[in-house]
Amino acid sequence: MISVEGEWGSDKKKIHIVNIYAPCEGRKKHELWAALSSRVREKNGESICVLGDFNSIRNGEERRGSAVNIRSEKAEEFDNFITGADLIDLPLHGSKFTWSRTGGSARSRIDRFLISEEWCISWPSSSQWALDKELSDHRPILLCDATKKWGPKPFRMLNCWRKVEGYHDFVKEHWQGMNVEGWSMFVLKEKLKMIKGKLKEWHKSHTQNLEGKIKDAKEVINKWELKAESTDLTIEEGNKKREAVAELYRLSNLNCSIQSQKSRVRWLKEGDANSKYFHG
């Protein structure tokens, strides 16, 4: 388990969060439930959230495709831990189960958030959701307060855009041409929102379909290469070939820059494939 204590929000509510990864062995689970119960009792009266992969179910409805009766004692012990620690297991939205065996029919609800009564008082609209399944055999789960609005999705630009000829002039021209009235922060917010739309259109014509443009450049180069095998190229044809080579390098550099930036984002999202290599 990893425990974190701190203050949350402008009103500085004291919270205690415990992230756990429960073992599969029954004896070690028993020790973990006892340690967690002790930790919760120590923080009695505080906002507590215990979350993670518990590797346990509360009853037979939380497992499908496996022999539930074999593990009924373990399920009862886990259920007793939750009720004995006065923790609340919120209903799960989005899916009934959080884990499924790859290529098999077995599935269970073994990931969850358990919160204290004080947490519910502080955030009465709390709910937990099972999100879309990615590469892992676990679904990510989310604890959220329905009353919170986190604002619009941020706009992410690609680093390579700055290297495309005309980008800086494009941004400068459109930024200066925007007429927005109001206080300074409002003007800045509205201009950023407007330039976002302009850059999306610019992106479509300058940096989209790079693979197709790279393929076209290669075909042009190959055409002149084949002709040069049988006859000398004219000055004009040689210039066209050099222009195609330069374009191929430019597009390839753009594509490498984009893939490099996307790979870092994708790793954060899909890096945990729950593989043997990952666990090792």
Side-chain angles (χ1 to χ4, degrees):
M1 69 174 81
I2 299 176
S3 302
V4 179
E5 286 185 348
E7 296 176 342
W8 186 272
S10 57
D11 47 0
K12 296 184 177 181
K13 293 180 181 178
K14 190 172 183 181
I15 62 170
H16 186 78
I17 298 176
V18 184
N19 184 205
I20 71 119
Y21 178 65
C24 295
E25 186 181 339
R27 180 182 58 81
K28 292 183 178 180
K29 279 183 183 178
H30 179 79
E31 294 173 357
L32 178 60
W33 305 153
L36 283 171
S37 296
S38 176
R39 180 65 57 90
V40 172
R41 284 194 294 270
E42 288 175 4
K43 305 298 177 183
N44 185 36
E46 297 182 11
S47 295
I48 303 170
C49 177
V50 183
L51 66 138
D53 179 358
F54 290 84
N55 261 318
S56 297
I57 58 172
R58 299 189 69 177
N59 51 58
E61 295 180 358
E62 294 186 348
R63 176 162 290 161
R64 181 175 297 171
S66 297
V68 179
N69 58 334
I70 297 176
R71 301 175 176 85
S72 59
E73 293 181 0
K74 294 181 180 179
E76 184 177 354
E77 184 180 14
F78 179 55
D79 185 67
N80 290 338
F81 150 69
I82 294 175
T83 55
D86 292 327
L87 293 173
I88 299 169
D89 184 12
L90 296 171
L92 182 66
H93 301 283
S95 176
K96 291 182 178 180
F97 309 103
T98 63
W99 173 88
S100 59
R101 179 176 288 117
T102 303
S105 60
R107 56 195 71 243
S108 304
R109 184 193 171 193
I110 56 178
D111 310 273
R112 66 188 78 220
F113 291 92
L114 302 174
I115 57 179
S116 65
E117 183 179 353
E118 289 73 16
W119 187 289
C120 287
I121 294 173
S122 298
W123 294 282
S125 300
S126 293
S127 59
Q128 63 174 323
W129 293 79
L131 307 182
D132 293 340
K133 193 171 180 290
E134 299 286 348
L135 294 179
S136 173
D137 50 8
H138 290 257
R139 286 179 179 269
I141 57 173
L142 173 70
L143 178 68
C144 63
D145 182 8
T147 61
K148 298 294 183 184
K149 295 182 179 180
W150 303 105
K153 187 178 180 179
F155 172 62
R156 295 177 175 87
M157 65 166 284
L158 295 171
N159 297 331
C160 66
W161 288 1
R162 294 171 297 163
K163 300 177 182 178
V164 177
E165 185 177 355
Y167 166 79
H168 293 281
D169 293 335
F170 175 87
V171 174
K172 186 176 181 180
E173 178 184 350
H174 283 82
W175 186 270
Q176 292 177 344
M178 295 174 183
N179 296 317
V180 182
E181 297 181 355
W183 62 294
S184 56
M185 287 305 295
F186 173 78
V187 172
L188 176 62
K189 178 181 75 72
E190 290 299 305
K191 278 194 168 187
L192 287 172
K193 185 165 65 175
M194 294 165 69
I195 201 68
K196 171 182 176 179
K198 298 291 184 182
L199 280 173
K200 280 187 174 181
E201 294 299 319
W202 181 89
H203 167 65
K204 289 179 181 179
S205 59
H206 287 80
T207 58
Q208 273 196 345
N209 192 28
L210 283 178
E211 292 183 358
K213 293 177 181 178
I214 289 173
K215 181 180 178 182
D216 293 341
K218 287 180 178 180
E219 290 178 353
V220 172
I221 294 171
N222 188 53
K223 181 184 73 171
W224 295 122
E225 286 285 353
L226 292 174
K227 185 173 183 180
E229 291 179 1
S230 57
T231 182
D232 293 336
L233 299 179
T234 65
I235 296 177
E236 182 180 358
E237 290 172 339
N239 289 335
K240 288 183 178 179
K241 177 189 172 185
R242 282 188 289 272
E243 289 174 0
V245 172
E247 180 71 358
L248 177 61
Y249 274 107
R250 186 185 71 84
L251 294 172
S252 296
N253 287 334
L254 283 177
N255 193 44
C256 286
S257 176
I258 291 173
Q259 295 304 323
S260 175
Q261 187 172 348
K262 284 184 175 180
S263 69
R264 293 193 293 272
V265 175
R266 190 178 295 117
W267 172 255
L268 293 177
K269 181 180 179 182
E270 302 176 349
D272 175 8
N274 210 38
S275 62
K276 290 182 180 178
Y277 176 82
F278 173 81
H279 282 285

mmCIF file of all heavy atoms in Angstrom, residues 221 224 234-248:
data_model
loop_
_atom_site.group_PDB
_atom_site.id
_atom_site.type_symbol
_atom_site.label_atom_id
_atom_site.label_comp_id
_atom_site.label_asym_id
_atom_site.label_seq_id
_atom_site.Cartn_x
_atom_site.Cartn_y
_atom_site.Cartn_z
ATOM 1 N N ILE A 221 10.623 10.640 -56.966
ATOM 2 C CA ILE A 221 12.071 10.363 -56.971
ATOM 3 C C ILE A 221 12.356 9.090 -57.762
ATOM 4 O O ILE A 221 13.294 9.027 -58.574
ATOM 5 C CB ILE A 221 12.585 10.221 -55.525
ATOM 6 C CG1 ILE A 221 12.463 11.555 -54.790
ATOM 7 C CG2 ILE A 221 14.037 9.749 -55.508
ATOM 8 C CD1 ILE A 221 12.734 11.465 -53.306
ATOM 9 N N TRP A 224 12.279 9.619 -61.558
ATOM 10 C CA TRP A 224 13.487 10.228 -62.132
ATOM 11 C C TRP A 224 14.686 9.296 -62.029
ATOM 12 O O TRP A 224 15.552 9.295 -62.905
ATOM 13 C CB TRP A 224 13.788 11.554 -61.431
ATOM 14 C CG TRP A 224 12.741 12.612 -61.643
ATOM 15 C CD1 TRP A 224 12.023 13.253 -60.693
ATOM 16 C CD2 TRP A 224 12.282 13.129 -62.893
ATOM 17 N NE1 TRP A 224 11.137 14.149 -61.239
ATOM 18 C CE2 TRP A 224 11.284 14.085 -62.616
ATOM 19 C CE3 TRP A 224 12.603 12.867 -64.231
ATOM 20 C CZ2 TRP A 224 10.621 14.794 -63.605
ATOM 21 C CZ3 TRP A 224 11.938 13.572 -65.231
ATOM 22 C CH2 TRP A 224 10.954 14.523 -64.914
ATOM 23 N N THR A 234 17.800 16.101 -67.855
ATOM 24 C CA THR A 234 18.041 17.501 -68.204
ATOM 25 C C THR A 234 18.227 18.309 -66.923
ATOM 26 O O THR A 234 17.961 17.815 -65.814
ATOM 27 C CB THR A 234 16.864 18.068 -69.007
ATOM 28 O OG1 THR A 234 15.699 18.076 -68.171
ATOM 29 C CG2 THR A 234 16.597 17.222 -70.250
ATOM 30 N N ILE A 235 18.671 19.545 -67.079
ATOM 31 C CA ILE A 235 18.856 20.405 -65.901
ATOM 32 C C ILE A 235 17.528 20.576 -65.166
ATOM 33 O O ILE A 235 17.468 20.513 -63.931
ATOM 34 C CB ILE A 235 19.426 21.772 -66.321
ATOM 35 C CG1 ILE A 235 20.826 21.592 -66.914
ATOM 36 C CG2 ILE A 235 19.447 22.729 -65.129
ATOM 37 C CD1 ILE A 235 21.435 22.884 -67.433
ATOM 38 N N GLU A 236 16.458 20.769 -65.931
ATOM 39 C CA GLU A 236 15.138 20.960 -65.328
ATOM 40 C C GLU A 236 14.695 19.707 -64.590
ATOM 41 O O GLU A 236 14.168 19.776 -63.474
ATOM 42 C CB GLU A 236 14.117 21.324 -66.407
ATOM 43 C CG GLU A 236 12.720 21.599 -65.844
ATOM 44 C CD GLU A 236 11.719 21.952 -66.936
ATOM 45 O OE1 GLU A 236 12.124 22.019 -68.119
ATOM 46 O OE2 GLU A 236 10.542 22.138 -66.602
ATOM 47 N N GLU A 237 14.911 18.536 -65.208
ATOM 48 C CA GLU A 237 14.521 17.279 -64.572
ATOM 49 C C GLU A 237 15.359 17.006 -63.323
ATOM 50 O O GLU A 237 14.847 16.506 -62.319
ATOM 51 C CB GLU A 237 14.687 16.146 -65.578
ATOM 52 C CG GLU A 237 13.666 16.192 -66.711
ATOM 53 C CD GLU A 237 13.964 15.179 -67.806
ATOM 54 O OE1 GLU A 237 15.128 14.726 -67.899
ATOM 55 O OE2 GLU A 237 13.035 14.855 -68.578
ATOM 56 N N GLY A 238 16.659 17.341 -63.385
ATOM 57 C CA GLY A 238 17.514 17.173 -62.220
ATOM 58 C C GLY A 238 17.066 18.046 -61.068
ATOM 59 O O GLY A 238 17.104 17.632 -59.903
ATOM 60 N N ASN A 239 16.623 19.261 -61.392
ATOM 61 C CA ASN A 239 16.125 20.171 -60.346
ATOM 62 C C ASN A 239 14.852 19.632 -59.709
ATOM 63 O O ASN A 239 14.656 19.730 -58.500
ATOM 64 C CB ASN A 239 15.870 21.561 -60.933
ATOM 65 C CG ASN A 239 17.157 22.286 -61.276
ATOM 66 O OD1 ASN A 239 18.216 22.006 -60.693
ATOM 67 N ND2 ASN A 239 17.094 23.225 -62.212
ATOM 68 N N LYS A 240 13.992 19.049 -60.534
ATOM 69 C CA LYS A 240 12.746 18.486 -60.005
ATOM 70 C C LYS A 240 13.034 17.306 -59.082
ATOM 71 O O LYS A 240 12.363 17.123 -58.061
ATOM 72 C CB LYS A 240 11.841 18.051 -61.162
ATOM 73 C CG LYS A 240 11.224 19.203 -61.939
ATOM 74 C CD LYS A 240 10.289 18.681 -63.015
ATOM 75 C CE LYS A 240 9.634 19.846 -63.765
ATOM 76 N NZ LYS A 240 8.726 19.376 -64.837
ATOM 77 N N LYS A 241 14.036 16.516 -59.461
ATOM 78 C CA LYS A 241 14.404 15.387 -58.608
ATOM 79 C C LYS A 241 14.938 15.877 -57.262
ATOM 80 O O LYS A 241 14.585 15.363 -56.201
ATOM 81 C CB LYS A 241 15.448 14.519 -59.302
ATOM 82 C CG LYS A 241 15.926 13.358 -58.445
ATOM 83 C CD LYS A 241 17.100 12.637 -59.065
ATOM 84 C CE LYS A 241 17.667 11.609 -58.100
ATOM 85 N NZ LYS A 241 18.889 10.962 -58.614
ATOM 86 N N ARG A 242 15.814 16.895 -57.305
ATOM 87 C CA ARG A 242 16.378 17.440 -56.059
ATOM 88 C C ARG A 242 15.283 18.049 -55.183
ATOM 89 O O ARG A 242 15.321 17.938 -53.956
ATOM 90 C CB ARG A 242 17.456 18.470 -56.385
ATOM 91 C CG ARG A 242 18.794 17.845 -56.787
ATOM 92 C CD ARG A 242 19.883 18.896 -56.902
ATOM 93 N NE ARG A 242 19.685 19.731 -58.070
ATOM 94 C CZ ARG A 242 20.158 19.441 -59.284
ATOM 95 N NH1 ARG A 242 20.863 18.331 -59.479
ATOM 96 N NH2 ARG A 242 19.950 20.257 -60.306
ATOM 97 N N GLU A 243 14.312 18.701 -55.810
ATOM 98 C CA GLU A 243 13.194 19.271 -55.050
ATOM 99 C C GLU A 243 12.382 18.160 -54.366
ATOM 100 O O GLU A 243 11.947 18.308 -53.223
ATOM 101 C CB GLU A 243 12.285 20.075 -55.991
ATOM 102 C CG GLU A 243 12.907 21.374 -56.479
ATOM 103 C CD GLU A 243 12.032 22.064 -57.512
ATOM 104 O OE1 GLU A 243 10.947 21.512 -57.828
ATOM 105 O OE2 GLU A 243 12.433 23.139 -58.007
ATOM 106 N N ALA A 244 12.184 17.048 -55.084
ATOM 107 C CA ALA A 244 11.445 15.925 -54.499
ATOM 108 C C ALA A 244 12.212 15.308 -53.331
ATOM 109 O O ALA A 244 11.619 14.927 -52.315
ATOM 110 C CB ALA A 244 11.167 14.879 -55.577
ATOM 111 N N VAL A 245 13.548 15.197 -53.449
ATOM 112 C CA VAL A 245 14.371 14.662 -52.360
ATOM 113 C C VAL A 245 14.296 15.565 -51.136
ATOM 114 O O VAL A 245 14.154 15.097 -49.995
ATOM 115 C CB VAL A 245 15.833 14.499 -52.824
ATOM 116 C CG1 VAL A 245 16.725 14.137 -51.639
ATOM 117 C CG2 VAL A 245 15.937 13.428 -53.901
ATOM 118 N N ALA A 246 14.393 16.897 -51.392
ATOM 119 C CA ALA A 246 14.309 17.849 -50.283
ATOM 120 C C ALA A 246 12.943 17.776 -49.598
ATOM 121 O O ALA A 246 12.837 17.839 -48.366
ATOM 122 C CB ALA A 246 14.572 19.264 -50.786
ATOM 123 N N GLU A 247 11.886 17.614 -50.410
ATOM 124 C CA GLU A 247 10.533 17.503 -49.855
ATOM 125 C C GLU A 247 10.380 16.226 -49.036
ATOM 126 O O GLU A 247 9.751 16.217 -47.982
ATOM 127 C CB GLU A 247 9.509 17.534 -50.995
ATOM 128 C CG GLU A 247 8.066 17.434 -50.558
ATOM 129 C CD GLU A 247 7.551 18.675 -49.845
ATOM 130 O OE1 GLU A 247 8.333 19.625 -49.643
ATOM 131 O OE2 GLU A 247 6.357 18.689 -49.490
ATOM 132 N N LEU A 248 11.007 15.132 -49.522
ATOM 133 C CA LEU A 248 10.951 13.866 -48.788
ATOM 134 C C LEU A 248 11.616 13.985 -47.425
ATOM 135 O O LEU A 248 11.076 13.526 -46.413
ATOM 136 C CB LEU A 248 11.619 12.757 -49.602
ATOM 137 C CG LEU A 248 11.708 11.382 -48.914
ATOM 138 C CD1 LEU A 248 10.316 10.847 -48.590
ATOM 139 C CD2 LEU A 248 12.471 10.399 -49.788
#
